Amino acid sequence: MIIGIVGYFTVPTVANWIISAGGMGNYGKNVNQTATKAGSLAAGAAGAAAGNIAGRLLKR
């Protein structure tokens, strides 16, 4: 779990460094932001689903 948390925060940063070093500029920044937003949305949905399941299991 710790590896996943560290990766969640470091992968977008490292990807941004690679894109910036390649000279992609604003295009790369926009792609990175879009990927980050999509990842956040997916993580939020997964967390909500897990919380919903856990809540239903704890009620029993």
Side-chain angles (χ1 to χ4, degrees), residues 1-57:
M1 185 170 176
I2 293 173
I3 293 171
I5 293 170
V6 170
Y8 178 79
F9 288 108
T10 57
V11 168
T13 303
V14 173
N16 192 25
W17 293 340
I18 293 169
I19 292 171
S20 294
M24 291 295 285
N26 286 332
Y27 176 74
K29 179 181 176 185
N30 291 335
V31 170
N32 193 25
Q33 284 180 344
T34 302
T36 302
K37 287 178 186 178
S40 296
L41 180 66
N52 189 10
I53 292 169
R56 289 174 188 233
L57 290 175

